[in-house]
Amino acid sequence: MRIAGSVALVSGANRGLGQVYARELVHRGAAKVYGAARNPAAVTEPGVTPIALDITDPHRVAEVAGQCPDVSLLVNNAGVLKYSTFTSAPDLTAARLEMETNYFGTLSMCRAFAPVLAANGGGAIVNMLSVTSFYSNPFNASYGATKAAGWSLTNGVRVELHHQGTKVVGVHAGFIDTDMAALVDAPEDSPESVAQQVFDAVEGGQVEVLCDDRTRFIKASLPRDHELIYPPVQKLWDLAFKGSR
Ligand SMILES: NC(=O)c1ccc[n+]([C@@H]2O[C@H](COP(=O)([O-])OP(=O)(O)OC[C@H]3O[C@@H](n4cnc5c(N)ncnc54)[C@H](OP(=O)(O)O)[C@@H]3O)[C@@H](O)[C@H]2O)c1
């Protein structure tokens, strides 16, 4: 699809990658860009129309779909990361918040906007996922589970909405230089590079974006994940575990 002239909605557009997505859409000539955020006053990007949205509130998600009937490109970007393990987190609070936001929030958005996109000729959905869609990393275990679920959701929604001409793009990335990765001491992609790859893919009709070398390596290694992916992960975790005792 062409971005010039389209009407886009980006969730979590007040900061981080979502703000850069919104900026890039304006730059590429989108006719209108809705910047959705829990606090719409924080959406300050020039050319972006703020709208209040908490993606974990299905009632509000449905209302926003009604208030934005012109959307032809939905960018499901909003997400949370709580750096929580499966077995040593004190309780399920972090895991539930991550799943409620990253999986159920994105699912609600896809459901609410599917008829809007159909009415506008099909359009496209972009779901912001992660390299952790493809493997479990104990340093952000419960977050990875939400992105694996999001990968399944993305593939399923693509199949379900094919008949109405909606393209569904899954975006997988390693670390990106935003608040979410502020604690990370590892190479990071710029949000600008991610946004450019994503909208090139939307315009070029690709269904998946693997943003960086590590993500491409991990996806390519899936048939041999227990030889290529998990041994170094295990080593790092064992070292960290030893260090913490
Ligand atoms: N940064 C990375 O290394 C990285 C790597 C791979 C994938 N990702 C994914 O990229 C996306 C954007 O992350 P980021 O790096 O820009 O993170 P970020 O800087 O922490 O920003 C997260 C955004 O999501 C919003 N958000 C969180 N919960 C929400 C909710 N319930 N309703 C509406 N908005 C909500 C936040 O709004 P508030 O300001 O109100 O909190 C904020 O705008 C996420 O899906 C993340 O999982 C990030």
Side-chain angles (χ1 to χ4, degrees):
M1 79 174 276
R2 278 177 59 75
I3 288 180
S6 69
V7 176
L9 184 144
V10 181
S11 64
N14 53 308
R15 62 188 172 100
L17 182 58
Q19 181 172 8
V20 175
Y21 274 148
R23 183 180 305 150
E24 182 63 18
L25 286 162
V26 171
H27 177 72
R28 291 191 186 216
K32 186 165 192 181
V33 179
Y34 294 104
R38 291 190 279 203
N39 173 13
V43 177
T44 53
E45 193 58 34
V48 175
T49 306
I51 187 154
L53 175 65
D54 181 333
I55 62 165
T56 64
D57 175 354
H59 178 70
R60 181 61 193 148
V61 168
E63 240 174 34
V64 167
Q67 287 169 2
C68 307
D70 46 357
V71 168
S72 54
L73 173 57
L74 172 66
V75 182
N76 286 315
N77 162 78
V80 289
L81 162 62
K82 302 304 282 183
Y83 292 104
S84 164
T85 60
F86 287 129
T87 56
S88 54
D91 55 39
L92 297 186
T93 308
R96 285 193 198 282
L97 173 69
E98 289 170 333
M99 197 58 90
E100 203 53 57
T101 309
N102 302 353
Y103 176 69
F104 286 110
T106 302
L107 173 58
S108 291
M109 291 291 284
C110 290
R111 288 168 55 86
F113 277 91
V116 174
L117 297 172
N120 294 320
I125 298 175
V126 171
N127 285 343
M128 189 59 213
L129 303 169
S130 164
V131 66
T132 64
S133 317
F134 302 135
Y135 79 107
S136 187
N137 179 346
F139 295 93
N140 51 31
S142 55
Y143 169 84
T146 71
K147 295 297 185 179
W151 182 29
S152 176
L153 166 69
T154 300
N155 289 327
V157 170
R158 182 181 308 113
V159 172
E160 290 186 19
L161 300 188
H162 180 258
H163 70 93
Q164 66 176 48
T166 302
K167 303 279 184 281
V168 180
V169 182
V171 182
H172 305 267
F175 297 119
I176 305 167
D177 187 8
T178 66
D179 293 346
M180 187 175 279
L183 298 176
V184 169
D185 181 21
E188 294 174 350
D189 265 5
S190 71
E192 288 76 15
S193 150
V194 172
Q196 276 159 26
Q197 292 183 65
V198 167
F199 296 127
D200 284 353
V202 168
E203 299 200 293
Q206 282 168 245
V207 295
E208 186 167 82
V209 184
L210 304 175
C211 293
D212 51 84
D213 286 344
R214 183 163 161 268
T215 301
R216 288 187 280 273
F217 168 78
I218 294 282
K219 176 98 195 273
S221 303
L222 281 177
R224 294 171 59 205
D225 54 351
H226 295 291
E227 282 169 69
L228 298 176
I229 300 176
Y230 284 104
V233 170
Q234 187 68 64
K235 206 168 168 182
L236 267 180
W237 182 246
D238 288 347
L239 267 176
F241 192 74
K242 241 186 236 159
S244 73
R245 280 196 299 180

